[in-house]
Amino acid sequence: MENGRENKPSVMVTNDDGIDAPGLRSLVRVLDSSNLFNVLVCAPDSEKSAVSHSVSWQRALSVKKVDISGATAFAVSGTPADSTSIGLSKMLLPFVPDLVVSGINMGSNCGYHIVYSGTVAGAREAFFHGVPSVSLSYEWVRGKSKVDDFVLAAEACMPIITAILAEIKNNTYPQSCFLNIDVPADVANHQGYRLTKQGKSVYKMGWRQVTSEAQGGKMLSTMTMDSSAGKEACVEESTLSTQQEHLLFKREVREAPVDDDDGDYFFLQQGYITVTPLGALSPPPMDDVEFFKGWLPGVHERISASS
C-alpha cells in the first residue's frame, strides 16, 4: 500500500448523487473518523443518477477542488465514470488510490437496475483500471428513512471495507470482479451480510405526456416521484395539442420490482446487507448460447439459398 501517506491505505469516494449528497458526506465522515485511511473524493458536481456508464467525450471536464472535512476532494462536471477515471489518472493526485468506493447511493441498486446505475458505474470504471472497488447503496424509503441512516449504513459496511484493504495489502484480493453492496432500509436491525447474485428485479416503467418540464414532479433516484417539485407548474392536460412542435413525456413507475427467491433484491427485502460480486461482462444463459449455435448457421444457409 505504498500509495497511502503515513502508511495508511488510500480510499477514493465517488457517487452519482453528487458531491454534496448526504450519502457521500456520511461515508466520508465515517471513513475519516476511523483514522484508518487517507480519504479522497472525486465525484460529480451535481446529481447524475441513472446515467449508467456514460462518459464525457465531446466536452472538456471542469474540475474544482472543494472543501470537505477529512478529505482531499474534487468536484467534476462529468459523470460518475468520468469522476473515477480522472481521479485514478494521476492528473489530480500523485498516486493511485488503493480502493474506490462509490456511494452511498440514495436507493438500492439491485437486479437489472445495476445496468442503469451511475453508482455501480463509478465502481465498474475503477475495475476497468485494475483498481479494487465497491459500490454502496442504501434502500431509502421515502417518509421512513432519515439522513442519519446513511451514517449507520456506512458503519455497517466498514468491516467489509477494512477486510478488502487487508486482502489488498496481502496481494490476495481477487482481480476479476468488483462488489456491489446494498444495505436494507432498517439498517439498525439488519440480518448480517449475505453473498448474493444479481437478480432480475426491475421497476416496470411507463411514460406520461406532460405540458411542462416541471409538471408531474421529479423522478428521484429512489424510483419515487417528488410531486412537490411540479405543483406550481401544473397545467391542464386539455391544453395539449398534436400540433405542438415538441411533445413532452415523463417516466413514471407502474409496478414495484419482484425478484427470484435467490437474487440480490429478494435478500435485501429480507433485511440482509447483500454483497454481490460483479464483472464487466454479462454472459447469457448457456441454453440461449446453445440455441444460437444451431440458429446462426441456418441464417447463413437461407442467405445462400436465396442468392
Side-chain angles (χ1 to χ4, degrees):
M1 298 210 182
E2 57 194 31
N3 295 336
R5 294 166 291 177
E6 303 174 2
N7 296 318
K8 294 180 181 179
S10 297
V11 178
M12 188 180 85
V13 178
T14 191
N15 73 347
D16 74 354
D17 289 330
I19 198 164
D20 295 320
L24 181 144
R25 295 304 180 103
S26 297
L27 176 60
V28 169
R29 188 157 65 248
V30 171
L31 290 171
D32 175 56
S33 64
S34 73
N35 202 33
L36 296 173
F37 318 110
N38 290 310
V39 184
L40 316 165
V41 177
C42 199
D45 59 10
S46 59
E47 185 177 349
K48 296 293 189 297
S49 295
V51 299
S52 190
H53 209 110
S54 61
V55 297
S56 298
W57 192 258
Q58 296 178 327
R59 296 181 181 179
L61 288 181
S62 171
V63 180
K64 179 181 179 181
K65 193 168 186 179
V66 296
D67 184 20
I68 297 181
S69 178
T72 301
F74 298 91
V76 181
S77 63
T79 66
D82 290 331
S83 300
T84 296
S85 179
I86 199 165
L88 299 179
S89 68
K90 295 187 178 181
M91 300 296 291
L92 304 177
L93 302 164
F95 55 87
V96 176
D98 297 294
L99 176 69
V100 171
V101 181
S102 184
I104 298 170
N105 189 64
M106 180 183 280
S108 62
N109 279 304
C110 296
Y112 290 151
H113 285 283
I114 286 172
V115 177
Y116 298 115
S117 172
T119 301
V120 177
R124 188 188 298 112
E125 181 70 17
F127 171 71
F128 288 166
H129 286 260
V131 177
S133 58
V134 177
S135 52
L136 296 180
S137 301
Y138 167 64
E139 188 191 21
W140 181 274
V141 177
R142 192 177 180 193
K144 294 183 179 180
S145 298
K146 301 177 181 178
V147 172
D148 290 344
D149 291 333
F150 285 117
V151 174
L152 298 179
E155 291 172 345
C157 293
M158 278 291 288
I160 295 178
I161 293 172
T162 55
I164 289 173
L165 285 163
E167 298 292 348
I168 294 171
K169 183 177 181 179
N170 293 330
N171 295 315
T172 53
Y173 191 72
Q175 300 295 309
S176 58
C177 68
F178 64 100
L179 295 181
N180 181 49
I181 299 175
D182 285 276
V183 179
D186 189 9
V187 56
N189 297 298
H190 71 80
Q191 301 300 304
Y193 304 133
R194 181 84 183 215
L195 188 68
T196 58
K197 68 176 184 179
Q198 181 181 359
K200 299 178 181 179
S201 62
V202 63
Y203 281 88
K204 299 297 183 182
M205 307 293 290
W207 294 93
R208 184 163 63 90
Q209 193 169 6
V210 297
T211 56
S212 70
E213 286 283 354
Q215 185 188 349
K218 176 186 177 184
M219 176 69 76
L220 302 176
S221 59
T222 55
M223 294 296 176
T224 57
M225 297 299 298
D226 181 7
S227 56
S228 62
K231 287 181 179 178
E232 70 283 356
C234 190
V235 182
E236 290 296 325
E237 294 281 348
S238 60
T239 61
L240 285 171
S241 170
T242 56
Q243 302 303 314
Q244 287 176 307
E245 184 178 354
H246 299 287
L247 298 177
L248 299 178
F249 299 89
K250 280 197 171 183
R251 286 186 182 271
E252 61 181 7
V253 177
R254 299 280 175 84
E255 295 179 28
V258 177
D259 199 4
D260 299 331
D261 59 6
D262 61 349
D264 47 6
Y265 185 76
F266 173 82
F267 286 110
L268 181 67
Q269 298 306 300
Q270 305 303 310
Y272 289 97
I273 295 176
T274 60
V275 181
T276 307
L278 297 176
L281 303 177
S282 300
M286 286 308 300
D287 288 348
D288 291 347
V289 173
E290 291 301 318
F291 170 82
F292 285 109
K293 280 183 179 179
W295 175 82
L296 194 58
V299 173
H300 177 72
E301 292 171 3
R302 284 192 291 271
I303 292 174
S304 300
S306 62
S307 60

